[in-house]
Amino acid sequence: ILISLGVGGYILWDNYGEAVIMALKLSEEELKEKSDSRRIIEDVTGLEIRELTDDEKAALEKGEKHEGEIMEQIIKDASKKENLKTVDAITAKYLGEVYALQSEYTGIVEGIIADIREYYYHLRDVEKYEKSAAMAAVSSKFTPVVSQNESACDGKLEGILSRMKAELSQNKCDTSIISTIRAKYKEEKDSKKAYYMKLLIAKPNN
């Protein structure tokens, strides 16, 4: 089933259904709260995660750093301060890698969104496409790009979790945390997808 979502073109329900529902039901603030990295890290590791500093908030607002990059450093800082059990130390180590991965793909997603907007308005304003034709062209051009990058990111995550599981097993630690991280990753990914969709939905119609 294909759903029209304004400038974003057509979103494949099979891949994005949950994110679409969230985008339509929740406000931007509610979506930000659901993808709150500090809360997710505390839930998974039990680490006490500090608030972002004013400099870190400013860097985020200016686009100088991505959230994942900052969270990776915060996890490292928290890990150094606390006398962690082996399982928590290993978890914190690999969560740092997960948030580095998030930072990498946040940059990619933001670039794709900028390209979508530029391409859509070029078709509408310069090429004089009708709205439906422009959205179809956007979908044809960008859906494969989005899907390929999402699959690549998911694959890299599984690589991180595989190494984490091996290290946990080597240290005779419980590996059930792997399933928790995978579930939290999906929850945060869906929330962020919905947030970006809402940004596209909010664009004025042409």
Side-chain angles (χ1 to χ4, degrees), residues 144-201:
V145 177
V146 171
S147 296
Q148 287 166 11
N149 278 287
E150 182 175 357
S151 294
C153 185
D154 290 348
K156 288 182 180 180
L157 173 79
E158 290 304 320
I160 292 170
L161 295 183
S162 177
R163 288 188 285 109
M164 179 180 171
K165 183 175 182 179
E167 187 167 344
L168 287 169
S169 298
Q170 186 178 9
N171 285 275
K172 297 181 171 52
C173 297
D174 183 6
T175 60
S176 62
I177 190 69
I178 299 291
S179 297
T180 303
I181 292 175
R182 189 178 284 115
K184 292 292 184 181
Y185 167 82
K186 183 181 184 304
E187 176 187 338
E188 185 168 1
K189 184 174 72 170
D190 284 342
S191 297
K192 288 187 181 296
K193 273 198 240 177
Y195 175 73
Y196 284 123
M197 286 179 189
K198 187 168 283 291
L199 293 183
L200 290 172
I201 293 169

Side-chain angles (χ1 to χ4, degrees), residues 12-54:
L12 291 171
W13 181 270
D14 286 345
N15 291 334
Y16 296 92
E18 189 170 342
V20 171
I21 291 171
M22 292 170 69
L24 295 174
K25 285 186 174 181
L26 303 178
S27 68
E28 287 185 24
E29 286 304 314
E30 288 171 323
L31 288 171
K32 286 181 181 178
E33 184 176 344
K34 283 185 71 66
S35 61
D36 180 3
S37 296
R38 289 179 63 254
R39 175 185 60 80
I40 291 170
I41 294 168
E42 288 178 341
D43 286 349
V44 171
T45 66
L47 290 173
E48 185 175 339
I49 302 300
R50 64 170 173 79
E51 297 281 353
L52 270 63
T53 65
D54 289 341

Side-chain angles (χ1 to χ4, degrees), residues 4-124:
S4 170
L5 285 181
V7 176
Y10 295 96
I11 305 299
L12 291 171
W13 181 270
D14 286 345
N15 291 334
Y16 296 92
E18 189 170 342
V20 171
I21 291 171
M22 292 170 69
L24 295 174
K25 285 186 174 181
L26 303 178
S27 68
E28 287 185 24
E29 286 304 314
E30 288 171 323
L31 288 171
K32 286 181 181 178
E33 184 176 344
K34 283 185 71 66
S35 61
D36 180 3
S37 296
R38 289 179 63 254
R39 175 185 60 80
I40 291 170
I41 294 168
E42 288 178 341
D43 286 349
V44 171
T45 66
L47 290 173
E48 185 175 339
I49 302 300
R50 64 170 173 79
E51 297 281 353
L52 270 63
T53 65
D54 289 341
D55 286 345
E56 288 168 339
K57 290 177 182 177
L60 278 177
E61 291 174 1
K62 294 175 182 176
E64 295 172 352
K65 289 187 176 181
H66 294 303
E67 181 188 32
E69 184 179 0
I70 292 173
M71 295 313 301
E72 179 188 14
Q73 186 58 53
I74 288 176
I75 291 170
K76 288 179 180 177
D77 293 345
S79 300
K80 291 174 184 176
K81 290 180 180 179
E82 300 188 29
N83 185 20
L84 301 178
K85 295 185 296 184
T86 301
V87 63
D88 291 333
I90 294 172
T91 300
K93 170 186 170 182
Y94 286 98
L95 271 183
E97 290 190 36
V98 170
Y99 278 96
L101 180 65
Q102 182 204 73
S103 179
E104 176 186 351
Y105 278 89
T106 295
I108 291 172
V109 167
E110 289 176 352
I112 292 172
I113 287 175
D115 289 344
I116 287 173
R117 288 173 175 157
E118 181 179 355
Y119 185 61
Y120 174 82
Y121 286 108
H122 171 79
L123 292 178
R124 293 286 280 137

